């Protein structure tokens, strides 16, 4: 039988500590909430009151339950108040010496059978535990912010944590309505080890002026369905906290360069730009602590999008290709009111593409998302062709043929001869260098990347890729076209992976390495990222959907371009691809899909 915890102590009543107090008190457990001074204690009390009052206002907590919750909490200054509790959770700032001092004191004050827990997100639980005479009763219980809302708890055992302590804490998590994943003591545990490499990479992307803060954040929200963009998330976490976590992970986790904090991060922390809590980080906020972003000198000027920055007028668009991507792009342009010329290799392929577009538009009608008249009008705007010569009078060409450089270069050389001057030539490549395609023409200034996401009619994001030869007018035209399509266009340089894949796939690769090292299971890693970070899919779910072969090819491209050792594809990923386990499409990837 798991032990019954009737009284729990919480040390440190910042945002995290106050949230943990609320979680226990909500679930009928008496809490002794401790701070270092009376003013700090009052701030903690105010944080708890604010959170519970908001829950009442939103109808998520009854007034009587709120009042009962507050009656279960006893506030006190100093650790001596914890002499008779069953469990203590420490939630003070991430400094090892501070935590060790507190644990040495708790060891002296608390009863011998009391479990001592730390909410650290990056420090070694083992190093904290050795400050006590009872390291077998020390454990990590890592809640996620905001603790009352987030379902995940990482239960971190050291090599000496007693099995019954682990079992008791797991049972307690279940009582709190949380989902726990139990793991060993390793830098960053699951969620932070996967999350912070990605966040640091995004800061590096911003630091190098590869893309704007708005475009990086929009790309990850719209391209991956994440609840927040990486830079907005850094502001929420606090740049000082993020710096401490990355620095600790770098020193404890084998000195992986991707965890070495980007220099800009240290500069911002030194300058007091800590994110929301200081009112200024990557973004500027209404006031310290406010979530409301206000314009600053880096905010892009609003344009009507029509003919901004020398954008050219586009009325007629050519789409070359006959695959899923080409079909979706034809539909998107036709629905948005453009005349479209679809060019394929042969009338048989044209007939197939025509049928696919009709089927998709009909589905829109059936679902009530498209009027019959609008469907008929969209179809009326499309002409079908098997020869590139029909692109002689278009204003924009979008190429969506096979991802082979030689094929694309040959096509662009032909377009260069056929199309009138001033036409923007766009490639939808997701992995090839756009400049290689552009240099197959005599007009590289007019060539851009327009990377649509699949399925094109649904996904709201387009990456607009400018090469070092692309003219500002061509970039502005591409952006204006995205706006006219009802899409969000994000502008970035011509580097492998652009924004989304360059940030997404190293994170997926890190998850594979974590599984390969037997640190955790695919299920627990997926749970951690969905419940701890609010991701719509866990990394292994996503890899099986994308296809392991596709993922491996993208990761190889990133590694070849950046030569960063941490980007080398995980051997397990290579082995699964070699074995033909490619994900859902072969019914076997990281999971077996044969019975689904």
């Amino acid at each position: 039988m798991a032990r019954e915890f009737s009284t729990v102590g919480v040390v440190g009543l910042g945002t995290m500590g106050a949230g943990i107090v609320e979680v226990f008190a909500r679930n009928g457990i008496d809490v002794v909430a401790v701070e270092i001074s009376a003013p700090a204690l009052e701030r903690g009390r105010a944080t708890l009151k604010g959170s519970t009052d908001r829950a009442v206002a939103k109808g998520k907590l009854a007034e009587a339950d709120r009042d009962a919750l507050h009656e279960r909490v006893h506030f006190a200054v100093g650790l001596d108040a914890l002499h008779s509790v069953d469990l203590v959770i420490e939630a003070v700032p991430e400094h090892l010496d501070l935590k060790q001092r507190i644990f040495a004191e708790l060891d002296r004050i608390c009863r011998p059978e009391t479990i001592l827990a730390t909410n650290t997100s990056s420090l070694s639980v083992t190093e904290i535990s050795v400050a006590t005479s009872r390291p077998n009763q020390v454990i990590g219980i890592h809640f996620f912010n905001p603790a009352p809302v987030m379902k995940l708890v990482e239960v971190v055992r050291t090599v000496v944590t007693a099995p019954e302590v682990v079992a008791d804490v797991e049972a307690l998590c279940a009582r709190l309505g949380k989902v726990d994943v139990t793991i060993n003591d390793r830098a960053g545990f699951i969620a932070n080890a996967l999350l912070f490499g990605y966040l640091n990479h995004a800061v590096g992307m911003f630091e190098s002026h590869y893309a704007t803060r708005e475009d990086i954040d929009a790309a990850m929200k719209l391209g991956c369905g994440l609840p927040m963009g990486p830079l907005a998330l850094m502001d929420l976490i606090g740049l000082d906290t993020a710096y401490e976590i990355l620095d600790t992970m770098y020193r404890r986790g084998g000195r992986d360069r991707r965890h070495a904090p980007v220099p800009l991060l240290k500069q911002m922390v030194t300058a007091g730009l800590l994110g929301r809590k200081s009112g200024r980080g990557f973004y500027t906020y209404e006031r310290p602590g406010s979530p409301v972003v206000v314009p600053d000198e880096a905010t892009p000027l609003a344009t009507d999008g029509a003919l901004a920055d020398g954008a050219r007028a586009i009325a007629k668009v050519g789409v070359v290709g006959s695959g899923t991507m080409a079909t979706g792009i034809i539909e998107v342009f036709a629905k948005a009111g453009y005349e479209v010329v679809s060019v394929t290799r042969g009338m048989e392929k044209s007939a197939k593409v025509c049928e696919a577009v009709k089927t998709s538009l009909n589905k829109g009608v059936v679902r009530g998302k498209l009027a019959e008249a609008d469907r008929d009008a969209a179809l009326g705007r499309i002409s079908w062709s098997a020869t590139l010569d029909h692109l002689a009078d278009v204003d924009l060409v979008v190429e969506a043929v096979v991802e082979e450089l030689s094929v694309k270069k040959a096509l662009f050389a032909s377009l260069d001869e056929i199309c009138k001057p001033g036409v923007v030539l766009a490639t939808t490549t997701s992995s090839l260098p756009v400049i290689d395609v552009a240099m197959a023409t005599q007009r590289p200034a007019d060539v851009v990347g327009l990377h649509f996401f699949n399925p094109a009619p649904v996904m709201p994001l387009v990456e607009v890729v400018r090469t070092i030869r692309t003219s500002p007018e061509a970039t502005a035209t591409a952006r204006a076209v995205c706006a006219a399509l009802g899409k969000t266009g994000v502008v970035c340089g011509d580097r492998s992976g652009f924004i989304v894949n360059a940030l997404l796939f190293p994170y997926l690769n890190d998850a594979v390495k974590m599984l390969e090292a037997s640190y955790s299971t695919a299920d627990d890693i997926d749970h951690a990222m969905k419940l701890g970070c609010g991701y719509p899919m866990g990394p292994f779910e996503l890899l099986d959907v994308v296809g392991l072969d596709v993922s491996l090819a993208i990761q190889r491209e990133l590694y070849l371009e950046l030569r960063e050792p941490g980007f080398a594809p995980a051997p397990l990923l290579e082995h699964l691809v070699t074995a033909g386990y490619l994900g859902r499409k072969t019914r076997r990837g990281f999971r077996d899909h044969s019975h689904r």
Side-chain angles (χ1 to χ4, degrees), residues 60-92:
K60 294 187 175 178
L61 189 66
E63 284 192 30
D65 292 338
R66 174 196 60 192
D67 298 341
L69 183 159
H70 284 283
E71 281 173 19
R72 291 190 199 102
V73 184
H74 170 68
F75 289 92
V77 173
L79 299 176
D80 287 334
L82 302 170
H83 58 86
S84 60
V85 300
D86 304 314
L87 164 76
V88 180
I89 297 187
E90 160 278 310
V92 303

Side-chain angles (χ1 to χ4, degrees), residues 257-333:
R257 263 182 43 205
R258 288 172 319 120
H259 289 144
V262 168
L264 176 65
L265 199 53
K266 182 68 185 286
Q267 293 159 19
M268 291 176 76
V269 171
T270 306
L273 307 176
L274 307 182
R276 280 192 196 182
K277 60 187 170 190
S278 68
R280 179 110 193 231
F282 289 104
Y283 295 91
T284 301
Y285 298 88
E286 205 170 40
R287 61 180 181 279
S290 167
V292 180
V293 174
V294 295
D296 57 23
E297 66 279 1
T299 304
L301 295 171
T303 60
D304 61 3
L307 293 175
D309 309 320
R312 299 165 195 167
I314 304 290
K316 195 171 184 180
V317 178
V319 180
V320 184
S322 57
T324 312
M325 210 66 230
T327 308
I329 292 167
I330 291 165
E331 180 185 333
V332 167
F333 276 102

Side-chain angles (χ1 to χ4, degrees), residues 437-502:
V437 178
M439 295 311 289
T441 74
Q442 300 300 309
R443 47 171 112 181
D446 291 330
V447 178
V448 296
L450 272 184
H451 179 219
F452 287 81
F453 286 71
N454 199 11
V458 177
M459 295 296 278
L461 183 73
V462 181
E463 289 175 319
V464 176
V465 186
R466 56 170 182 231
T467 74
I468 51 173
R469 297 286 299 266
T470 305
S471 70
E473 294 78 20
T475 305
T477 305
R479 261 208 124 136
V481 165
C482 292
L485 295 175
K487 306 284 187 193
T488 298
V490 296
V491 178
C492 60
D494 182 21
R495 259 182 16 201
S496 191
F498 311 138
I499 299 173
V500 174
N501 286 353

Side-chain angles (χ1 to χ4, degrees), residues 390-410:
H390 288 142
L391 300 176
D393 64 340
V394 300
D395 307 308
L396 163 71
V397 179
V398 181
E399 163 276 309
V401 302
V402 66
E403 282 284 272
E404 280 181 30
L405 191 55
S406 58
V407 176
K408 290 187 191 280
K409 283 171 83 166

Side-chain angles (χ1 to χ4, degrees), residues 93-134:
E94 290 282 271
H95 300 296
L96 183 61
D97 55 344
L98 172 63
K99 291 183 190 274
Q100 285 177 328
R101 281 203 307 277
I102 287 171
F103 271 72
E105 276 293 288
L106 291 172
D107 186 38
R108 184 180 61 75
I109 292 163
C110 296
R111 294 175 306 168
E113 64 274 18
T114 300
I115 292 174
L116 305 181
T118 173
N119 181 59
T120 183
S121 58
S122 62
L123 296 170
S124 164
V125 179
T126 309
E127 286 184 43
I128 294 168
S129 75
V130 295
T132 74
S133 62
R134 56 176 107 179

Side-chain angles (χ1 to χ4, degrees), residues 181 190 194 511 514-515 519-530 538-540:
V181 294
I190 297 176
L194 295 179
M514 189 177 272
L515 179 68
Y519 179 62
S520 191
T521 64
D523 286 349
D524 277 356
I525 294 169
D526 278 357
H527 278 317
M529 298 315 290
K530 288 198 297 188
F540 297 106

